[in-house]
Amino acid sequence: RKEVEQDPGPFNVPEGATVAFNCTYSNSASQSFFWYRQDCRKEPKLLMSVYSSGNEDGRFTAQLNRASQYISLLIRDSKLSDSATYLCVVNGLTGTASKLTFGTGTRLQVTL
Amino acid sequence: EAEVAQSPRYKITEKSQAVAFWCDPISGHATLYWYRQILGQGPELLVQFQDESVVDDSQLPKDRFSAERLKGVDSTLKIQPAELGDSAMYLCASSLENDATYEQYFGPGTRLTVT
C-alpha cells in the first residue's frame, strides 16, 4: 500500500463548480498534512496546511480525519486558473528529521 | 522575493554519461532537500541536508547517485553513470529549519532526459 494515496483524475469540471479531492495516508504517526499545487511543468507550491479542526482559505477548504487517516480538499466556485495538479502531502517525522511524503497528485481541469 | 535557484533547467544526456545538478537555496535556510519527480507521480525525497550534514539519504541510489553540500549553502547532485530510468524532474527545496512547521520552498527543477 502506498503511504499517500490519491485519485489521479483527471477531474474535468465547468467554471463555477464545486469539486472535492480525497487522500488517504497509511502512517498513523504522521504529524502534519498539506495540500500543494503544481502547475504543468512547474515546481510544487504550498496551497494550504491541513488542521484537525478543518481550515478555510477563500474558496478552498481542507479537512483532516485522523481516525480514518483521510484528508480532503474542497474547491468552491472553480476558476479556470484553478486548473493544476493538487498534491496531498503528509509529514511523518522520523527521529528529528521532518520528511514529506507526496501523493501522486490529482489533476483538475476547469473548463468554460 | 527570495527563490531557490537551480541549474541547468534542462539536461539531455546519453546513458552511461555523468550529469550534475546545482541548487542554491534561499539565503539562511539550513535545510535542503533533493527530490525526484517522475512524470505522473509525486516528488520523492532523495536526500536531505541539515547544514552540511546528510539527515536522510535512505532513498538515494548510492551506487550511482551522490550529493554534497560542502559549506552548508549550495548543493550538487550527481549521477554517474546515468540510466534511461533516471529521466525525471529533479527538484531542490529548502526550508528555514528541519521542522514541519516551516514551509519547504521548491526551485524550478532540472528536467533530465537520458537517451
Side-chain angles (χ1 to χ4, degrees):
Chain A
R1 182 184 173 188
K2 289 183 180 178
E3 288 188 58
V4 180
E5 295 206 55
Q6 295 182 252
D7 181 343
F11 283 57
N12 295 299
V13 302
E15 214 176 5
T18 295
V19 62
F21 305 139
N22 303 318
C23 167
T24 58
Y25 61 95
S26 60
N27 184 357
S28 59
S30 298
Q31 299 293 314
S32 49
F33 311 87
F34 310 90
W35 284 100
Y36 274 70
R37 171 190 168 133
Q38 187 170 26
D39 292 310
C40 188
R41 306 182 82 82
K42 299 280 190 181
E43 71 274 21
K45 293 188 178 179
L46 180 65
L47 178 66
M48 59 197 302
S49 301
V50 187
Y51 305 116
S52 295
S53 54
N55 48 301
E56 187 174 309
D57 182 3
R59 298 181 294 107
F60 298 83
T61 301
Q63 294 277 355
L64 166 66
N65 184 323
R66 284 189 182 271
S68 302
Q69 295 179 203
Y70 172 95
I71 306 160
S72 66
L73 176 68
L74 184 76
I75 305 176
R76 290 181 301 279
D77 188 23
S78 299
K79 311 293 185 190
L80 292 175
S81 57
D82 294 334
S83 298
T85 295
Y86 291 84
L87 297 160
C88 176
V89 186
V90 172
N91 187 5
L93 296 176
T94 55
T96 58
S98 166
K99 180 176 179 179
L100 296 184
T101 300
F102 288 77
T104 55
T106 299
R107 192 154 64 90
L108 172 65
Q109 183 66 50
V110 181
T111 57
L112 287 171
Chain B
E1 181 177 307
E3 296 178 340
V4 176
Q6 288 189 249
S7 67
R9 293 292 305 277
Y10 304 92
K11 179 71 178 178
I12 300 174
T13 191
E14 293 182 348
K15 64 179 181 179
S16 80
Q17 296 298 303
V19 64
F21 314 131
W22 177 79
C23 171
D24 191 12
I26 293 172
S27 178
H29 279 196
T31 310
L32 184 147
Y33 311 80
W34 282 102
Y35 290 88
R36 175 172 61 187
Q37 186 173 24
I38 295 170
L39 193 63
Q41 299 183 20
E44 176 191 25
L45 180 69
L46 291 175
V47 61
Q48 178 181 345
F49 290 91
Q50 180 68 19
D51 299 310
E52 66 277 6
S53 300
V54 172
V55 173
D56 183 354
D57 63 356
S58 56
Q59 299 302 310
L60 188 71
K62 298 181 188 64
D63 57 334
R64 297 185 300 108
F65 286 64
S66 64
E68 60 184 17
R69 193 184 183 198
L70 292 177
K71 296 182 180 178
V73 180
D74 59 337
S75 175
T76 302
L77 178 69
K78 296 179 181 177
I79 308 175
Q80 182 174 17
E83 295 181 351
L84 294 176
D86 296 332
S87 294
M89 173 80 90
Y90 290 83
L91 292 159
C92 178
S94 70
S95 65
L96 197 59
E97 289 294 342
N98 182 17
D99 186 300
T101 59
Y102 293 97
E103 180 180 347
Q104 289 191 24
Y105 294 86
F106 284 81
T110 296
R111 186 169 295 280
L112 172 66
T113 301
V114 181
T115 62

